[in-house]
Every structure is written in structure tokens, then in C-alpha cells.
């Protein structure tokens, strides 16, 4: 097994010693829960910790302890209080009234009020947060009758609106620091200030981010931990070693190569859960650029669907931490229908469709050649790209693999500079929040990540998606989303691969890491180290 670099071993050793000293200083009455230092893998290093400016996974993991949203969500996607202690929805579905927690302060000591919520939802997020901009476009007005009440009136009923307030979808930002400023270039971005249970202490680039307990946190007695260190460990073998030797106690998402899951599950010091990803509902697919021939022909796209063995990907590449995708909507997302038409692995059908198109193989068996831009998130995704290349070659589609770094991949993806690429996106509990954005014609926006990248257009489907987002009757919404998913199955705008069930791996001494449907992006307010 590859050893940690001396510098990292020294840093992790200091943290372990510090944790032991802190634990010994804790009084006996709190010995089971209070005190200690938690080390969490953070991979890759986030570009910023300002949640309102960036919502990539590494930012969510670290900034989710600093900032909070109005709501969080249980494993069944039921809304739960966070900065809002209660709420009411008017019978016509137009008015949402949130009653805020009292006695909340920002990390700099300033009081948190309804003005912070109004500012965040009305001024800040529509400028900086593409997904929030879409959700908040349905808002007609935001009123603040008093310091602890926020009244939001919609232009029309918007069925998933209550699910738009977890911290990654609508992080509440401090108005007193950002109002009237250039949000992206405000000096306050160097030292994040939130309302969460942990405060920013230090960011040593390339090594770690340190957060410390917020002694003035609004939930009495919380948090339990003294410190949380987010360790930046670029090397995959070193991440595995740090987890196994106890230098770090939490890993999540793709921190550890899925090939090591059997080894990890056999380790008596570690626990593995796939809970905590229900709200995200991550689904992976091959994005197909319809601007590139013959990807503009649905028969070719259908052929790709038939040429892929999703069971193989789930079992042999993700080692059971994924399951075959059956369509555009994940089975953990609301309004999933298992009965829509599906593409079972059938290379003969793929060949028949390619023959029908007149794409005959040449002397080398090649019908067409396309580029596949790999997802630069580690060895597992490289294996997915290799598998796709080999599978498509069997039906005569030559695939040229391309690789790049994460930043360039995001730029090329958003700017349509690819033929095909492997990707995954989150569904955020409701098709109106995380599915239709990838297929609506009005969301084709070059240069913007998380939009309709493929260029697929279907005006009739646009109408169905629009009607489904406004419909408040659950049965009617189900019918509309079944209709939408069936249409997408026929048109095959993307080649859906697997539903991801990322593992969260914890040392058994750590408790309450996964407490809601947003998993390790939660606050860690109740996380503790068993003494």
C-alpha cells in the first residue's frame, strides 16, 4: 500500500494528537458526546467556500457546516426545520410564510433577521446561483412583516417550491456584508461568515480547511465537536490509507475508488452507508451533443442505449454502489415510474438501427468515429469511459477517448465542445428541480453548467414539463411526468447509465454523520466522536 507523504503524515499526526488532548480535557459528564476533532476527506479542493457563489460537491461538504438554509429534508424528502422553525402554505398554493428561528446570530455577532432571507432570495442568489434563479423566477414578491417572518408570494402555484430551500439550493447569505456590493469580488469572500454550527478558522491551500465550534450557535448545546478539518489528499491510495489507519474518519462520494469497497466493508473499524444521497438523487449518463452528426438522429442515440450493459457498469465498475438507470428520472426522485419503456442490453438491436440508418461498417468494422470526453473524477470514471469505448466498438462505433482536468472539462462541457461525455447531475428530489433542466428547450444556454447541454428540443415536451411544475395535484403530476419520461425514452436525448448510491465511509467511533437526505452536506451539528 502506498504511504502518505511525510508532510501529510506530520499534519495528520498533529491533528490526531490534538484530538486526543482535547478529548482528555472534556469533563466526564460530556465524555460521550462533547469535544474532539473530526478529519474529513475533501476531494478535490473546492474553488471557494462561499456557498452562494459555488455549489459543487466539495464546496457543499465544507460550506454546509458554515452556512444554513431555511429547511433541511428527512430521508423520505419531508421538509424539516433549519433556519425556519415553521411555515404555512396558503390553500391556493401561492403564499409561503416562514417563521424564523429566534436568537440566531452570524459568526461575526450580527443578528440574523428576515432581511437576510429577503436579500438572499431576491437580490443575491438570482445573480449568482443558476438553479436558485430558476426556482425564484416563480416569485412575485417577498415581504418581511417583522424580523422573524418572511412571506413569499408566487406568480402561480409551483409544486416543488417547498423543496427549493435546502442549503445548496438556497444558502442564506449575510445582507450586512453583501448588500450593495459586487457579490463575486467582495473582500468578505475571503472569510466566509454564516449562521452554522462551525466557523471558518483557516484554509491552508493544498492541505486542509479548518472549522471551529461556533460557541454562539442557536441550537443550545450544539455542536459537539471542537474542530472539523477537511483534509485535501489528492492521491487516491493515500486517501484509502488515511481512512484505514484512522488519520481521517469520514470519506464520501467518490473519495475512495469503488474497487476497494469490498475491502472497506470487511474492515471492522469502518462503517459504510449509502444513505444521505436521497435529496441529490445522482444519475449518470452519456451526454450526446445533438449538434454533431449522427447524434442528431434518434435512431443512432437509441443504438447507443442498446449497446450499453448497465448491469455490468453497476456491478463490475461501481461494485454495487450504483444500480442501472431505467430512464431520465431516478428511482429515489419523486414521480419516478418504473414502467416506462426501457433499453435492455441488446447489441443486435443496436446493429439493426445503425444498418437502417445506412451506416455500414468499413473494412475495419467502423461505421462512424466520435470523441468521448472523460469525466476527470478519478479511476472509476476512467473505467466507465473505457467500458463505453469497448462496448460501442462492438457495434461499429469507433470512440476516441479524450481526457482533461476538472476545470477544462467543465468549460468544454458548458460550451458544447465535445461529441459525447460521461457526466452525472443531481435531481434534487423533484423532476421540476433537477430533471427537466437538462431537456427543456428554453434552458439551452451555452457556457452555463447544469442546463440543456445536448441541445435536444421538443416543444410538446416543454409544455408537459411546464404543466407538471405548476400542477399541485400529485396524481396529475405523476401522469404528466410519466408522459414526459416516456417521450424522453423514445427520443433518447442522452444515454442513461446508472443511479449512483455513493458510499459514505466512517470510522465506527464517529456518530451522526448521516442524519438527513443531504448526507455529508449537512451541518454536522450533532456529529460526535464516541469516547
Amino acid at each position: 500500500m502506498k504511504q502518505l507523504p511525510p508532510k501529510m503524515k506530520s499534519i495528520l499526526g498533529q491533528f490526531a494528537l490534538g484530538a486526543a488532548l482535547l478529548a482528555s480535557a472534556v469533563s466526564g459528564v460530556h465524555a460521550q458526546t462533547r469535544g474532539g476533532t473530526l478529519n474529513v476527506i475533501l476531494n478535490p479542493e473546492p474553488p471557494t467556500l462561499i456557498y452562494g457563489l459555488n455549489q459543487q460537491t466539495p464546496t457543499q461538504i465544507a460550506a454546509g457546516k458554515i452556512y444554513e438554509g431555511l429547511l433541511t429534508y428527512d430521508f423520505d424528502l419531508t421538509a424539516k426545520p433549519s433556519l425556519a422553525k415553521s411555515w404555512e402554505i396558503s390553500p391556493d398554493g401561492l403564499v409561503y410564510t416562514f417563521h424564523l428561528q429566534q436568537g440566531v446570530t452570524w459568526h461575526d455577532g450580527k443578528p440574523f433577521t428576515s432581511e437576510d432571507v429577503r436579500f438572499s432570495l431576491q437580490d443575491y442568489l438570482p445573480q449568482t446561483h443558476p438553479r436558485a434563479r430558476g426556482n425564484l423566477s416563480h416569485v412575485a414578491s417577498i415581504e418581511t412583516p417583522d424580523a422573524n417572518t418572511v412571506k413569499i408570494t408566487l406568480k402561480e402555484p409551483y409544486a416543488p417550491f417547498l423543496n427549493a430551500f435546502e442549503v445548496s439550493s438556497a444558502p442564506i447569505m449575510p445582507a450586512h456584508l453583501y448588500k450593495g456590493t459586487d457579490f463575486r469580488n467582495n473582500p468578505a469572500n475571503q472569510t466566509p461568515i454564516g449562521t452554522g454550527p462551525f466557523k471558518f478558522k483557516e484554509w491552508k491551500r493544498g492541505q486542509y480547511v479548518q472549522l471551529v465550534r461556533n460557541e454562539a450557535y442557536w441550537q443550545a448545546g450544539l455542536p459537539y465537536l471542537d474542530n472539523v478539518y477537511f483534509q485535501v489528499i489528492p492521491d487516491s491510495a493515500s486517501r484509502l490509507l488515511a481512512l484505514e489507519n484512522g488519520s481521517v474518519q469520514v470519506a464520501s462520494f467518490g473519495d475512495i475508488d469503488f474497487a476497494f469497497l469490498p475491502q472497506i466493508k470487511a474492515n471492522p473499524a469502518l462503517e459504510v452507508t449509502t444513505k444521505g444521497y436521497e435529496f441529490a438523487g445522482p444519475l449518470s449518463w452519456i451526454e450526446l451533443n445533438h449538434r454533431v452528426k449522427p447524434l442528431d438522429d434518434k435512431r443512432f442515440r437509441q443504438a447507443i442505449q442498446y449497446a450499453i450493459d448497465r448491469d455490468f457498469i453497476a456491478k463490475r465498475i461501481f461494485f454495487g454502489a450504483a444500480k442501472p438507470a431505467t430512464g431520465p428520472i431516478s428511482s429515489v426522485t419523486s414521480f419516478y415510474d418504473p414502467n416506462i419503456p426501457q433499453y435492455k442490453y441488446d447489441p443486435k438491436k443496436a446493429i439493426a438501427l445503425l444498418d437502417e440508418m445506412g451506416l455500414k461498417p468499413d473494412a475495419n468494422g467502423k461505421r462512424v468515429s466520435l470523441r468521448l470526453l472523460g469525466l476527470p473524477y478519478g479511476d472509476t470514471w476512467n473505467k466507465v469511459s473505457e467500458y463505453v469505448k469497448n462496448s460501442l466498438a462492438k457495434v461499429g462505433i469507433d470512440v476516441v477517448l479524450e481526457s482533461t482536468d476538472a476545470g477544462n472539462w467543465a468549460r468544454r462541457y458548458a460550451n458544447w465542445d465535445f461529441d459525447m461525455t460521461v457526466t452525472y447531475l443531481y435531481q434534487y428530489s423533484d423532476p421540476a428541480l433537477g430533471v427537466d433542466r437538462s431537456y427543456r428547450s428554453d434552458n439551452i444556454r451555452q457556457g452555463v453548467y447544469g442546463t440543456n447541454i445536448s441541445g435536444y428540443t421538443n416543444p410538446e415536451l416543454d409544455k408537459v414539463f411546464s404543466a407538471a411544475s405548476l400542477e399541485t395535484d400529485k396524481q396529475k403530476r405523476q401522469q404528466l411526468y410519466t408522459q414526459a419520461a416516456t417521450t424522453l425514452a423514445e427520443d433518447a436525448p442522452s444515454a442513461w447509465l446508472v443511479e449512483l448510491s455513493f458510499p459514505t465511509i466512517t470510522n465506527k467511533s464517529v456518530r451522526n454523520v448521516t442524519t438527513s437526505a443531504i448526507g455529508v452536506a449537512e451541518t454536522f451539528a450533532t456529529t460526535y466522536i464516541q469516547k
Side-chain angles (χ1 to χ4, degrees):
M1 180 64 69
K2 185 173 180 179
Q3 294 294 308
L4 283 170
K7 187 175 184 180
M8 179 58 68
K9 291 173 74 174
S10 173
I11 291 170
L12 294 178
Q14 292 174 23
F15 294 160
L17 177 60
L21 292 173
L22 286 166
S24 67
V26 177
S27 63
V29 66
H30 294 299
Q32 293 301 310
T33 59
R34 193 166 180 83
T37 294
L38 182 69
N39 289 285
V40 181
I41 292 176
L42 192 63
N43 177 62
E45 189 168 20
T48 180
L49 295 178
I50 305 302
Y51 219 152
L53 298 180
N54 183 275
Q55 299 82 43
Q56 290 177 286
T57 297
T59 303
Q60 290 189 28
I61 294 172
K65 311 335 174 230
I66 301 171
Y67 296 94
E68 295 174 295
L70 290 180
L71 303 174
T72 186
Y73 299 84
D74 210 341
F75 296 110
D76 63 0
L77 306 183
T78 302
K80 296 167 56 181
S82 185
L83 284 176
K85 64 181 180 180
S86 63
W87 56 92
E88 299 100 41
I89 305 172
S90 63
D92 61 6
L94 291 176
V95 181
Y96 289 69
T97 303
F98 292 95
H99 304 281
L100 306 181
Q101 305 283 358
Q102 298 186 32
V104 180
T105 58
W106 294 97
H107 293 161
D108 60 4
K110 300 294 184 182
F112 162 78
T113 72
S114 57
E115 175 57 19
D116 294 302
V117 179
R118 186 213 61 77
F119 165 77
S120 298
L121 302 183
Q122 187 169 294
D123 301 334
Y124 187 105
L125 296 176
Q127 288 193 37
T128 65
H129 192 315
R131 186 156 43 86
R133 183 186 304 120
N135 292 330
L136 296 170
S137 68
H138 298 273
V139 173
S141 66
I142 302 178
E143 302 171 72
T144 55
D146 57 55
N148 300 305
T149 306
V150 179
K151 180 180 177 182
I152 303 175
T153 302
L154 304 183
K155 299 172 185 176
E156 66 281 305
Y158 180 52
F161 194 59
L162 193 64
N163 281 26
F165 293 101
E166 53 87 31
V167 65
S168 81
S169 300
I172 303 303
M173 305 296 295
H176 68 280
L177 294 178
Y178 286 97
K179 189 182 294 186
T181 73
D182 178 350
F183 302 149
R184 290 180 174 82
N185 296 299
N186 189 316
N189 292 340
Q190 302 304 311
T191 52
I193 298 293
T195 59
F198 294 95
K199 300 189 295 185
F200 174 77
K201 177 66 179 290
E202 181 183 18
W203 187 351
K204 199 159 187 178
R205 298 278 178 171
Q207 296 187 34
Y208 61 82
V209 174
Q210 181 192 5
L211 307 183
V212 298
R213 177 194 285 128
N214 175 11
E215 298 288 358
Y217 188 50
W218 57 271
Q219 293 194 61
L222 298 179
Y224 294 133
L225 296 167
D226 294 325
N227 298 273
V228 181
Y229 279 90
F230 295 94
Q231 302 286 355
V232 179
I233 310 176
D235 180 70
S236 60
S238 296
R239 291 195 296 270
L240 177 62
L241 177 61
L243 188 66
E244 290 186 323
N245 69 21
S247 300
V248 298
Q249 296 87 43
V250 180
S252 59
F253 289 91
D255 289 341
I256 306 300
D257 192 316
F258 289 87
F260 292 107
L261 278 180
Q263 174 181 326
I264 288 169
K265 290 178 180 178
N267 188 325
L270 301 175
E271 290 183 335
V272 180
T273 182
T274 55
K275 294 185 69 176
Y277 299 94
E278 295 84 356
F279 194 86
L283 190 145
S284 174
W285 66 77
I286 308 171
E287 191 81 87
L288 308 174
N289 190 343
H290 295 203
R291 305 165 190 86
V292 177
K293 291 186 177 299
L295 293 167
D296 60 338
D297 191 316
K298 77 175 182 180
R299 294 172 296 177
F300 190 83
R301 303 192 299 266
Q302 291 171 342
I304 292 176
Q305 295 267 22
Y306 282 122
I308 301 296
D309 185 349
R310 294 162 183 80
D311 284 321
F312 180 92
I313 296 174
K315 294 176 182 176
R316 302 294 296 277
I317 298 180
F318 288 94
F319 291 86
K323 67 179 183 178
T326 60
I329 301 176
S330 168
S331 62
V332 301
T333 300
S334 301
F335 306 107
Y336 168 77
D337 187 340
N339 299 312
I340 66 167
Q342 299 176 23
Y343 291 89
K344 301 298 183 182
Y345 178 53
D346 194 336
K348 291 182 179 179
K349 286 187 178 180
I351 290 171
L353 284 165
L354 296 172
D355 286 343
E356 179 186 322
M357 292 177 64
L359 294 173
K360 301 298 182 181
D362 63 15
N364 297 315
K366 297 179 182 179
R367 302 170 186 267
V368 65
S369 183
L370 292 168
R371 301 172 298 160
L372 177 66
L373 180 62
L375 184 65
Y377 285 179
D379 290 341
T380 298
W381 294 103
N382 294 336
K383 293 172 186 175
V384 172
S385 292
E386 289 285 353
Y387 169 77
V388 170
K389 174 183 173 67
N390 293 333
S391 293
L392 296 187
K394 293 176 182 178
V395 299
I397 301 173
D398 178 52
V399 173
V400 178
L401 295 182
E402 296 183 324
S403 61
T404 186
D405 58 71
N408 196 46
W409 179 90
R411 181 193 62 77
R412 288 186 59 181
Y413 180 60
N415 284 285
W416 314 335
D417 182 14
F418 66 95
D419 297 345
M420 305 183 293
T421 188
V422 176
T423 187
Y424 69 88
L425 283 182
Y426 299 153
Q427 303 209 339
Y428 297 107
S429 80
D430 191 290
L433 299 178
V435 178
D436 69 9
R437 60 179 173 153
S438 297
Y439 307 106
R440 290 199 327 265
S441 305
D442 62 357
N443 204 35
I444 298 175
R445 301 174 62 196
Q446 188 170 12
V448 182
Y449 186 88
T451 56
N452 180 343
I453 300 294
S454 71
Y456 167 73
T457 59
N458 185 327
E460 291 305 312
L461 179 67
D462 292 343
K463 295 176 183 177
V464 175
F465 272 137
S466 178
S469 70
L470 301 178
E471 179 58 62
T472 56
D473 182 280
K474 288 187 176 181
Q475 184 174 353
K476 292 179 180 178
R477 286 196 82 200
Q478 179 64 72
Q479 293 170 351
L480 288 165
Y481 281 122
T482 293
Q483 180 183 345
T486 301
T487 298
L488 288 170
E490 168 66 22
D491 289 351
S494 308
W496 305 291
L497 298 177
V498 291
E499 298 178 13
L500 298 166
S501 300
F502 287 112
T504 295
I505 307 161
T506 58
N507 189 289
K508 286 187 177 179
S509 65
V510 183
R511 297 286 184 266
N512 289 350
V513 168
T514 301
T515 58
S516 78
I518 63 173
V520 291
E522 262 292 0
T523 64
F524 280 14
T526 62
T527 303
Y528 67 94
I529 299 173
Q530 183 72 54
K531 304 297 192 295

